[in-house]
Amino acid sequence: MGDRIPDVSARVATPGAQVTASEEHGRVVLVRTRYGPTRRVLARLLRLPTTLTVRLDELGSAAWRLLDGKRTVAEVRVQLELQFPGQSDLSARLGRFIGQMVSRGFVRLG
């Protein structure tokens, strides 16, 4: 009953405010601060990493470039289907990608 994954296809995905994206060898690299200001000071003192970095694969990079705060997740999927024809698991991969990006604070759903 409560194990059903919510359908976010009609929601708009927007990059998080504290996320910096760059390109590396044609792939997107995302970086965001890991902690708030107080914990960040403590992390520095303990020599812990204060940022979280994610290097996206080809499909993730293409999806990230489409997250403009205007397109719905369904519209992103349609665009990805045009870029990657014949990819049978595209919807599932996009769903996992959006879920991971939201849970790690890289994407907000509106």
Side-chain angles (χ1 to χ4, degrees):
M1 272 188 212
D3 295 335
R4 183 167 160 76
I5 298 171
D7 180 10
V8 297
S9 61
R11 308 222 9 225
V12 173
T14 306
Q18 300 297 318
V19 177
T20 303
S22 62
E23 295 275 335
E24 191 175 283
H25 307 292
R27 306 273 172 90
V28 174
V29 178
L30 304 175
V31 179
R32 76 163 179 81
T33 55
R34 193 180 281 252
Y35 308 108
T38 305
R39 286 188 177 176
R40 194 167 34 247
V41 169
L42 182 60
R44 283 188 188 124
L45 290 172
L46 297 172
R47 298 178 188 219
L48 296 172
T50 59
T51 59
L52 179 60
T53 302
V54 175
R55 287 172 172 71
L56 301 178
D57 65 5
E58 185 179 15
L59 184 64
S61 294
W64 178 264
R65 292 181 192 109
L66 293 168
L67 302 180
D68 59 3
K70 297 174 186 166
R71 290 183 182 99
T72 64
V73 173
E75 291 168 332
V76 169
R77 182 183 45 77
V78 168
Q79 290 299 312
L80 289 174
E81 287 172 346
L82 294 173
Q83 289 181 39
F84 299 92
Q87 183 124 35
S88 61
D89 64 342
L90 191 133
S91 290
R93 286 184 65 192
L94 178 61
R96 285 191 303 273
F97 170 76
I98 294 292
Q100 288 292 316
M101 291 292 101
V102 169
S103 70
R104 292 181 178 171
F106 286 97
V107 170
R108 293 177 295 129
L109 290 175

